């Protein structure tokens, strides 16, 4: 199962879709693999990164985030994807 990341400014959404295509409407979003998102979220938590528990919700990047925090988060995301 592939992953689509949809972005607007500092807001983004991670959705696991069958072909990696972004969702365009609520029906496509409801068809996303929520189980895969739950595993991804759990793997991020194991690496110290807390994200929204609801897979259809957006994530936000804080204006006060440091470069070190971005690097640590990117490393956690890489590790979480590798665990899938």
């Amino acid at each position: 199962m592939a992953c689509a990341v949809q972005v607007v400014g500092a807001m983004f959404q991670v959705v696991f879709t069958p072909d990696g295509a972004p969702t365009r409407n609520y029906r496509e979003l409801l068809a996303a693999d929520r189980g895969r998102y739950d595993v991804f979220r759990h793997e991020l938590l194991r690496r110290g990164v807390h994200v929204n528990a609801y897979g259809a919700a957006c994530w936000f990047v804080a204006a006060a985030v440091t470069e070190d925090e971005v690097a640590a988060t990117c490393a956690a995301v890489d590790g979480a994807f590798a665990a899938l």
Side-chain angles (χ1 to χ4, degrees), residues 3-6 12-16 29 37 40 55-59 81:
C3 174
V5 178
Q6 303 171 134
F12 63 100
Q13 182 180 42
V14 177
V15 181
F16 290 91
L29 186 58
Y37 179 86
F40 179 63
C58 292
W59 303 7
F81 274 125

Side-chain angles (χ1 to χ4, degrees), residues 29-50:
L29 186 58
L30 290 177
D33 188 340
R34 286 178 276 179
R36 177 71 53 102
Y37 179 86
D38 290 342
V39 172
F40 179 63
R41 178 179 177 271
H42 177 75
E43 289 297 329
L44 287 174
L45 282 171
R46 288 184 59 233
R47 292 162 174 78
V49 176
H50 182 275

Side-chain angles (χ1 to χ4, degrees), residues 65-81:
V65 70
T66 67
E67 288 186 35
D68 288 343
E69 290 167 331
V70 170
T73 302
C74 288
V77 168
D78 286 345
F81 274 125

